[in-house]
Amino acid sequence: MTTKKEQRRIKIKYRVRNKITGTAARPRLSVFRSNKQIYAQIINDETAATLVAASSLGLEAMPKKEQAAKVGEAVAQKALAAGITQVVFDRNGYLYHGRVKELAEGARKGGLNF
């Protein structure tokens, strides 16, 4: 059973996902934020394959915003190692604020363009 808040996020998620897709040339950087962790994946929607992933598991000692920035930098490092420089950012229905924004800025700082 989902709450009104979750239903709202899912509605926004589908509205955003109708406009953006990840291709081989420009895959999608998807963010999932839970209460304790934050996860990022780079996905090629044409083949339905996750190319690169990173999460905040093991970083619980630092504040959540710092965790998000570290995850952004980690996913950017892995993407550059895999030869990915351009991505499309998918905020997954979350507001571009707080931890989601920190993750995006960390990925930009790490060398990804979006």
Side-chain angles (χ1 to χ4, degrees), residues 63-85:
K64 290 181 185 177
K65 278 190 170 184
E66 288 180 27
Q67 288 179 17
K70 291 277 186 194
V71 170
E73 290 174 15
V75 79
Q77 279 182 341
K78 290 179 182 181
L80 292 176
I84 301 165
T85 57

Side-chain angles (χ1 to χ4, degrees), residues 26-91:
R26 196 163 179 181
R28 175 171 57 98
L29 172 60
S30 180
V31 175
F32 176 74
R33 175 178 61 89
S34 72
N35 285 337
K36 294 188 178 197
Q37 307 294 338
I38 191 159
Y39 307 86
Q41 296 182 60
I42 296 182
I43 304 165
N44 180 353
D45 289 319
E46 293 172 341
T47 60
T50 299
L51 306 173
V52 174
S55 73
S56 63
L57 295 171
L59 301 174
E60 288 86 6
M62 59 180 67
K64 290 181 185 177
K65 278 190 170 184
E66 288 180 27
Q67 288 179 17
K70 291 277 186 194
V71 170
E73 290 174 15
V75 79
Q77 279 182 341
K78 290 179 182 181
L80 292 176
I84 301 165
T85 57
Q86 294 272 10
V87 295
V88 176
F89 188 68
D90 176 13
R91 59 189 173 88

Side-chain angles (χ1 to χ4, degrees), residues 2-16:
T2 58
T3 63
K4 281 187 177 183
K5 191 172 187 178
E6 288 170 320
Q7 289 172 347
R8 178 184 169 279
R9 186 185 74 80
I10 291 168
K11 197 171 161 182
I12 294 169
K13 173 183 176 174
Y14 287 122
R15 186 170 58 228
V16 170

